[in-house]
Amino acid sequence: MKKSLSTFLKGVIICLIASGFNACSDRPQANSTTNAMDQRVDSLLSLMTLDEKIGQTIMYNGTWEFTGPTSGGNRWKAEKIINGQVGAMLNVLTADEIRRTQALAVDSSRLGIPMLFAYDVIHGYKTMLPVPLAQAASWDTEVARLGSEVAAREASAAGLHWTFAPMIDISRDARWGRIMESPGEDPFLGAAMAKAWVEGYQGDDLSSLTTIAACAKHFAGYGFAEAGRDYNTVEVSMHTLYNVILPPFKAASDAGVATFMNGFNDLNGIPATGNEFLQRTILKDKWAYDGMMVSDWGSIPEMIFHGYAMDTAQAAAIAMKAGSDMDMEGRVYEKGLKAKITSGEVSEELLDDAVRRVLRLKYKLGLFDDPYRYSDSEREKEELLSKENLEAARDAARKSMVLLKNETNILPLKKEIKSIAVIGQLAASKDIPLGSWRAQAVPNSAISLVEGIKSAVSANTKVEFAKGYTLTVGNRSFGKELTIVEDDKTGFKEAIELAKRSDVVVMAMGEDCYQSGEGRSQMDVGLKGSQIDLFNELKKVNDNIVVVLMTGRPVAIPDLATDANALLETWFAGSESGNAIADVLFGDYNPSGKLPVSFPHHSGQEPLYYSQKSTGRPINRAENVFWTHYTDGPNDALFPFGYGLSYASFTYEDLKVTGSGESINIKVDVTNTGSVGGEEVVQLYIQDVAASLTRPIKELKGFQKIFFEADERKTIKFTLTKDDLSFINDHGEKVFEPGDFRISVGSNSRDLNTKAITIN
Ligand code: NOJ
C-alpha cells in the first residue's frame, strides 16, 4: 500500500503528538495496552477544537446509495471533511473510492484524523450468504461465524472498516419485514448467533486486514413494533425487555462488539435514540460497554416527529445526553450541538466521552497507523467472489435449509429420475435468492433452482421448466414499493401440461426477496398471487409435488402443509442457492436446519412464539368458550420453533434429570433410527413452574447439533446451574427462586420429553 509523503508526514506528526512523542510503531497498535491507547486518544483530544470534536460525531452518507431522506449534492461534503467536521461516512464504496475520500480527511484537514467507512454488509458483500434468519435456522454457530468472516474478508478488501451488522432484534411477528435480518424469536438462540456473528466480523483482532468492526443493532426493542408494522411504537414490559430483548445485545457486548446502533422506535414512550436508560444506564454503565453508539439513519431528528424533541437543537441535546455518540445522517449534531455545549446545557465532558469512543475505534482498526490500510484494490479483485467464499456460501445455505415435510420419503430424489418438472417464477430467478439487503451482490447472479437441479441430475434426466405463476414484475429494487401480480393465470396451462408428463414436480413458491426487509411489513403472511391456485391445479395431475419455499419470514401455508408431498424451506439462500437446494433435494446433504421462528396457520395468530405464558385459562375445562383460544383456528404453530426433519430419524428415550441447584445434570438417549447418517439439534427447555413473575411455559436453555451415523445411539448430556434457572426481575436483578421446574429435551419445542425437579 502506498502512502503519499504528506499523508505519511501528517501521520507521523499525529502519531507523535498523540503518543506524547513515544516511539511510533509502523504496525497497528493491536498489542498496545488499553492505557497506551487511552493516552494517545486523550492527547489527540486535547488538540481538538470544539468544532473538530463535534466533527468526529458526524457521519455522512456517500453518493452511491440512499437509505433514507437526504439532501443531495456532495461538493459541500468534501469541504466539511476538509474542515475536520466529518468523523465517518457510510455507503462510500470500493477500495479506490474510499482511498480518495479518506485522503480529503487525512491530507487536507488540520489534524488529518482518518474517517471510518461503513456499509450495511448484512449477509455478504459480493458473495451472498443466506439471509440472517436462515443462518439462525442452521442452529450452527459456526455457520454464522464463518458467514460473517466471509463477509468481513470481502468488505475489508473493498476498503470498508465497519458494518452495520449483526441485527439482533428478537422478533416474534412474521408480519415485520425485518424479521429476515434477525436471529428469530428466541433470546437464547439469538444470543448464540449474536456472539458468533460478532466473532466472525471482528475475529480476535480489529486491526487485522481481513476483519471489520461489527455493530449490534437496533438497541433496543425495534423487533417488537406493534402489529409488526415497521417503525411502529414499542410497548414492552421491563421483564420482556430484560429477558427477551436484551440477551443477544448482552452477548454481543460480552463478545466485544465494537459498536452499537440505536433504533427508530420509541420504547415505552421514549425514543431509543434519546433513551438514557438504555444507552447509559444499561449499556455503558451496567454492562461497562466502552465501544461506540451510532444513531440509526436520521433517528436523532426523528425524535421531533416522535413528539419527544421540539427542534433540532433539543434533539441534539437529548441524543448526546442519552449516549448516542454519532449522528448518522441526521445533520443534528452539526447544527445543534455546539450551541447546547457553549450554553452549558450539554456538558463538554459528554462530548469528549463520545469522541473518545470514536477515536478508540479508529485506533483499534489501525487507522492512525495507516488510514489507507484497507484500501488495496489488488486484494479487492482477488477476494470478491473467490472460490473459497462461494464454497462457504453453498455450505452455509444447505445447512440453513429446513425440511418441513417429507411424506413417504419422497425426498431425497434420485439423480437418475427420468423427468422433473421445475415450476414457478421463483425457480428460474437468479435474483430473488440473493435476498434483500444484498450489499454489492451482482443482480441476477445467483444460481437458480433450475440451474442447480440441472447440474445435479444424471445426463439422462429430463429437466423442464415452466414459469406457471408470476409473482412480481417491474421495479423490483431496494427502497421501492413492490408490484405483486395478484391474479395471473396465463402460465397455468403450460405448467399443468408439464406436470402431467413428469415423474416429479419441484415447485418453487414463496416471496419476492423485496417482500421482506426494511419498510416491508405485511398484514398477510400467506403466499401472494396465484401460487396456491397453481399448486392446487398441479396436485390434480401429479401426486409427487416437492415444494421449495423461498421466504424471508415465516409464512402461513396450511394448504401446503397438508397437500405438498414434501416441503423444504430454503429462505433466501444467497449466491449458491440453486446448488445448495439441489444438494438437499438429491441427498448430497442431509438437511439439518430447525426453525428459528414459529410458522403460523394464519396471519391472525401473529405475534406467534413458542415461549408463551400459560395464562389463567390455558385449557378448556368446561367445554365452553371461556379459555384462551381462537374460535376459528388453532393456538399452536403450524410448524413450531425448533422444528425440522432429516432424512434420518431420531428417537429420544430415558430422560434423566438429577442433581442439586448447583449443578443439574440432564441425560437423554438419542438414537438415529434411520438408514443414513444425519445431524440432529438436541434442544433443552425449562419451565419455572411458579415464580414472582409469570414465566413462559417453555424457554430454550441449551442445544447441541450432533452427527449420528445410521443406527447410532448416543447419550447426550446437558448441565444447568441456578443461573440458567434464573430470570431478570423488573428491577434488572437476576433472581433465582427455589421451587419446582420442568426440564424438557427433544427435537423441537413441541415434541419433548419432560421431567420435574425441585431445586432449593
Ligand atoms: C436504516 C436501518 O434501520 C439500519 O439498520 C441501517 O444500518 C441504516 N439504515 C444504514 O443504512
Side-chain angles (χ1 to χ4, degrees), residues 232-254:
N232 204 7
T233 305
V234 176
E235 296 270 348
V236 291
S237 67
M238 291 309 283
H239 51 276
T240 296
L241 178 69
Y242 283 124
N243 293 289
V244 180
I245 293 173
L246 294 184
F249 289 102
K250 179 68 167 64
S253 168
D254 290 345

Side-chain angles (χ1 to χ4, degrees), residues 571-588:
W571 317 102
F572 298 122
S575 302
E576 287 286 316
S577 173
N579 286 334
I581 299 173
D583 287 342
V584 175
L585 293 181
F586 296 98
D588 289 331

